[in-house]
Amino acid sequence: MTPLSMPGGASGPGMTGPMWMPALPPTVERVLAWHPQPVPVLPLFGAFLLGAYLTGLLVLHRRGVRWPLPRTVFWVLGIGTFLAVTATGVDGYGMELFSVHMVQHMVLSMLSPVLLALGAPVTLLLRALPAGRGRRGAPRRAVLWLLHTRGARVLAHPAVTTALFLMSLYGLYFTPVFDFLMGTWWGHNLMLLHFLLIGLLYFWGILGVDPSPRQASGGVRRSARAVLPILELAATTPFHAFFGVVVMMSTGLIVHFYAAPIPGWSIQPLADQATGGGIAWGFTELPTLLVLGALVMKWQKSEARSTRSAERRKGRNGDADLEAYNAYLRSLEGRTEGRS
């Protein structure tokens, strides 16, 4: 185990915890190589999430319940992207270079959460847990109760999720919080986990694949269900782009953790920070397109279900309507004959 140290190898005051820190300059092969940390908390967390999902699939399979294959694919891809930045050289190089750290941030807050949310884990959990009024159905009732609590409604409100999502940028990098968290092993892992959870909360509400407190509430959300997700997504885009531009154009370092250039790497901290700002500015396109594509497909399926339902109602009521119309015509004909 290599103790956590400041960039350049100089041990910083108050820096604690075991962390692997790369000694060689970054290359694509080194950055993407499989290299979990000495205490692989986040990779183990990712493995747990994958195992729990597969267990739910096994339960449904034994009951003879079919589960959409695309949802499983999205979940596996989400776990894969999560491990790609927490169990590889990305995590170590992210402690040395702001640009690599920004790749971690963007993947964990914008790409992995979208893929995981499309896997519909809450729906899978509710289907896998046994139903009933007894003790056997208590876990499922607890999940449903949690989704309907006032705290869950407040936390899932668009204003709250949007504020939390933006605070992961402005409240972290433009305050001393970033340097404080990066100074310890536990703080570093907590920050990365925070990126994932806030992203999941944000995109959970926008995508609407799983049951959520929003769907249980009425008002404007119910009457404008197709419009609000787009507005939520569009609301954060300018702030996200502005953050990237500010970081790119900054003439000074916004965080002090990466202030010391690493000997022999020929990478200047300010230039590396500008690269990180460009990554933050340009990364939004892929997740945004993925979310828009998912929303379009969701609306198409909803319209198709509505059309099929209308056709079934028409089929059931069609003969009755025709008979009523013919009876009306016969009554008119009878009245005409009576008058003549």
Side-chain angles (χ1 to χ4, degrees):
M1 288 185 203
T2 303
L4 183 65
S5 61
M6 286 289 288
S11 181
M15 307 284 289
T16 59
M19 286 287 291
W20 168 74
M21 307 291 287
L24 298 175
T27 63
V28 174
E29 183 179 1
R30 291 169 184 164
V31 171
L32 299 181
W34 180 259
H35 202 306
Q37 292 292 345
V39 184
V41 175
L42 295 181
L44 289 176
F45 177 67
F48 168 77
L49 293 179
L50 180 60
Y53 196 91
L54 295 178
T55 301
L57 293 180
L58 181 60
V59 171
L60 294 188
H61 178 72
R62 288 177 176 176
R63 294 179 186 169
V65 179
R66 297 185 61 183
W67 181 255
L69 179 61
R71 291 183 177 178
T72 304
V73 173
F74 281 126
W75 185 263
V76 172
L77 289 175
I79 297 297
T81 56
F82 175 76
L83 294 177
V85 295
T86 59
T88 64
V90 171
D91 198 29
Y93 280 98
M95 297 292 294
E96 301 281 27
L97 298 172
F98 180 82
S99 58
V100 180
H101 164 81
M102 192 54 64
V103 171
Q104 269 190 305
H105 186 162
M106 294 299 103
V107 170
L108 292 177
S109 65
M110 299 194 68
L111 182 57
S112 298
V114 172
L115 296 171
L116 293 175
L118 289 174
V122 178
T123 302
L124 178 62
L125 177 63
L126 291 174
R127 290 188 183 181
L129 290 175
R133 296 185 176 182
R135 183 177 300 177
R136 179 178 172 82
R140 188 175 188 274
R141 293 197 303 272
V143 174
L144 290 172
W145 171 82
L146 183 62
L147 290 174
H148 290 79
T149 59
R150 180 178 180 85
R153 290 197 298 270
V154 171
L155 190 61
H157 193 277
V160 176
T161 58
T162 299
L164 290 174
F165 189 72
L166 292 176
M167 283 296 292
S168 295
L169 289 173
Y170 293 90
L172 182 65
Y173 295 100
F174 295 138
T175 68
V177 174
F178 181 85
D179 290 326
F180 172 75
L181 292 176
M182 289 291 281
T184 59
W185 165 83
W186 64 265
H188 171 71
N189 285 285
L190 181 63
M191 179 171 53
L192 297 184
L193 185 61
H194 163 83
F195 293 154
L196 180 71
L197 295 181
I198 293 299
L200 273 171
L201 181 64
Y202 177 70
F203 289 108
W204 176 42
I206 289 179
L207 289 168
V209 176
D210 269 330
S212 74
R214 295 187 185 187
Q215 296 173 0
S217 61
V220 177
R221 177 74 192 182
R222 177 167 295 179
S223 61
R225 193 181 299 275
V227 178
L228 285 184
I230 299 297
L231 296 179
E232 287 181 58
L233 193 63
T236 59
T237 301
F239 293 97
H240 208 283
F242 181 72
F243 169 81
V245 172
V246 169
V247 175
M248 279 193 297
M249 303 300 293
S250 177
T251 57
L253 295 176
I254 63 172
V255 294
H256 298 291
F257 185 80
Y258 301 101
I262 306 172
W265 283 23
S266 301
I267 300 176
Q268 294 302 315
L270 192 58
D272 183 61
Q273 177 179 282
T275 302
I279 291 171
W281 176 72
F283 195 89
T284 57
E285 293 185 8
L286 177 60
T288 300
L289 291 175
L290 184 59
V291 171
L292 290 177
L295 290 176
V296 169
M297 292 185 63
K298 178 184 175 183
W299 296 334
Q300 289 178 341
K301 290 180 180 180
S302 178
E303 289 296 325
R305 286 194 298 267
S306 299
T307 301
R308 289 194 297 268
S309 178
E311 290 177 349
R312 286 194 296 268
R313 288 195 301 270
K314 183 179 179 181
R316 289 193 299 266
N317 301 327
D319 293 341
D321 293 340
L322 181 60
E323 288 295 331
Y325 181 69
N326 289 335
Y328 173 71
L329 292 179
R330 287 194 295 270
S331 66
L332 292 178
E333 183 179 357
R335 290 177 187 176
T336 303
E337 292 177 355
R339 291 175 181 176
S340 61

